[in-house]
Amino acid sequence: MDHIKNSPNLQKADPAVADGVMPAVVLNFDHPNMIGDFTPWDIDFRQLDSGRLSTRVTVRSGHSVSALSIAMNQRVHQRGVSPKGWVTFGIPSNGAVDKWQSKDVTDNAFLSFGDSDGFDGISTAGFTGNVVSFETDRLERLAETCGFHLEHDTPDAHKLRSKAGLASMAQLEHLVSGLLTSADAQWSEETEETLMLEALSILTDNEAHFDRSQAATRRRAVDRAMDLMAANLEDPVSIEEICKESGASWRTLDRAFKEQFGLGPKSYYVRLRLSRVREDLLTDSFNGTINDAANRCGFWHMGQFAQDYRRFFRELPSETRGS
């Protein structure tokens, strides 16, 4: 239970935990400062408009990532300090934050909660937003391995301009929302890596970090990555390991796969494994169960596997086996 106690977004709740991952917890407060009774956040929120203030918080935490959504019905001056040892970012709904660190906030802004200096913002009535926190050491290790060069001074409100950056923020918000609202959403080390990669892509969304690799370099990276994927179906390797073994940065690898297949490396890897499962299910000589076929290709969460399989092949694994 240490990861719950040390989570930046939930400290005292004690739900049933599977595989070290906490299910989503919904909390309702008459005052947002009561969040401090349940988390290691040091906050001092101040209501600005008249009326009864209510706050709804949904929280879910894993090993190195924690996600939170918050909704408040009144305009609020948000002040506080985020948990030590974690780096935290906010994705507000458009128009939900007027100012952040005393600056006007425009749409498509990725908000940094800073460090020991604290954060200061003004949210509008009906505010909703998602917050995602990463263990600082883990995020920095992934950045180094995957070729992201983080600046020491992260902008308070990182304004996104490129299509890739906007897509990464939309994907990060989609993933966080799904993890907090869907009972079937799987939280795993792979999920955490995906969340961190999207955040790193957002934080390095500027011309200095755009990929400038040669076509030959990208072809070699794809070949090495595909060999590694094919050799590791039952125990899938992480994108971090693929970057390390292929000698390519995440941006180079992602660009190379999208140029060749129209898919990123993570999507390609999942589809390769799904295809191998389908091949087993259609082979007369395979005598195992559907679970056996899925496990042989690294799928252990059967509910998620069935969803992914049906989404890709337009039929359930049982229908494939029956054919």
Side-chain angles (χ1 to χ4, degrees):
M1 307 295 286
D2 289 343
H3 71 283
I4 292 178
K5 297 176 183 177
N6 297 326
S7 161
N9 289 336
L10 190 63
Q11 189 174 44
K12 296 181 181 178
D14 189 19
V17 177
D19 299 326
V21 176
M22 186 193 78
V25 176
V26 179
L27 304 169
N28 291 285
F29 302 110
D30 290 326
H31 197 290
N33 286 352
M34 295 174 68
I35 296 171
D37 295 334
F38 291 83
T39 76
W41 284 76
D42 180 8
I43 62 173
D44 179 15
F45 283 16
R46 304 169 182 184
Q47 182 175 343
L48 297 176
D49 290 342
S50 59
R52 181 174 179 177
L53 174 62
S54 61
T55 305
R56 182 181 178 88
V57 175
T58 306
V59 183
R60 194 174 180 194
S61 294
H63 299 282
S64 301
V65 181
S66 187
L68 174 151
S69 71
I70 181 170
M72 294 182 290
N73 65 331
Q74 300 291 346
R75 197 162 67 101
V76 171
H77 181 197
Q78 300 187 20
R79 304 178 72 246
V81 180
S82 59
K84 186 176 181 180
W86 294 74
V87 57
T88 300
F89 303 99
I91 311 172
S93 300
N94 286 344
V97 174
D98 281 337
K99 291 186 180 293
W100 191 254
Q101 307 296 48
S102 301
K103 300 175 183 176
D104 292 337
V105 175
T106 58
D107 291 345
N108 303 321
F110 193 53
L111 306 181
S112 171
F113 281 73
D115 47 27
S116 57
D117 293 334
F119 61 90
D120 190 298
I122 299 174
S123 57
T124 61
F127 164 83
T128 60
N130 289 324
V131 175
V132 60
S133 300
F134 306 99
E135 261 191 331
T136 304
D137 291 345
R138 177 69 187 98
L139 187 69
E140 290 179 348
R141 287 199 306 271
L142 183 67
E144 182 177 359
T145 303
C146 294
F148 293 98
H149 304 291
L150 294 175
E151 304 293 339
H152 291 297
D153 297 321
T154 302
D156 297 329
H158 192 86
K159 171 67 175 177
L160 295 168
R161 294 180 175 84
S162 77
K163 290 183 179 179
L166 291 170
S168 288
M169 188 159 75
Q171 178 66 359
L172 181 63
E173 184 169 26
H174 173 73
L175 290 170
V176 170
S177 296
L179 290 167
L180 292 171
T181 60
S182 174
D184 296 325
Q186 181 186 10
W187 190 301
S188 63
E189 290 184 12
E190 182 179 357
T191 304
E192 295 194 353
E193 183 184 64
T194 299
L195 292 168
M196 286 188 278
L197 285 171
E198 296 295 356
L200 289 169
S201 296
I202 294 167
L203 294 172
T204 56
D205 178 51
N206 55 58
E207 188 175 349
H209 294 93
F210 293 161
D211 179 66
R212 294 180 174 83
S213 61
Q214 299 295 316
T217 300
R218 295 195 294 276
R219 285 196 298 271
R220 286 194 297 271
V222 167
D223 289 342
R224 290 171 182 165
M226 287 193 301
D227 287 344
L228 192 62
M229 291 174 183
N232 293 272
L233 297 179
E234 183 173 356
D235 188 15
V237 294
S238 65
I239 291 298
E240 184 176 16
E241 186 66 23
I242 292 174
C243 286
K244 185 186 302 182
E245 293 298 323
S246 66
S249 70
W250 164 249
R251 287 191 186 279
T252 296
L253 199 63
D254 189 52
R255 178 184 174 186
F257 269 82
K258 287 178 178 176
E259 284 178 341
Q260 189 155 339
F261 306 110
L263 300 168
K266 293 177 78 69
S267 294
Y268 180 92
Y269 200 3
V270 170
R271 294 179 185 200
L272 169 64
R273 290 157 51 213
L274 286 171
S275 295
R276 292 296 172 84
V277 174
R278 183 175 176 81
E279 185 178 348
D280 277 345
L281 296 179
L282 291 170
T283 301
D284 291 338
S285 60
F286 179 71
N287 297 318
T289 65
I290 292 174
N291 283 23
D292 292 335
N295 295 163
R296 276 160 51 108
C297 293
F299 296 105
W300 301 96
H301 188 286
M302 298 311 296
Q304 185 66 49
F305 160 72
Q307 288 181 30
D308 292 342
Y309 190 97
R310 185 174 189 176
R311 188 180 301 116
F312 188 39
F313 296 117
R314 303 293 190 270
E315 65 181 16
L316 290 169
S318 57
E319 294 175 300
T320 302
R321 192 65 187 273
S323 67

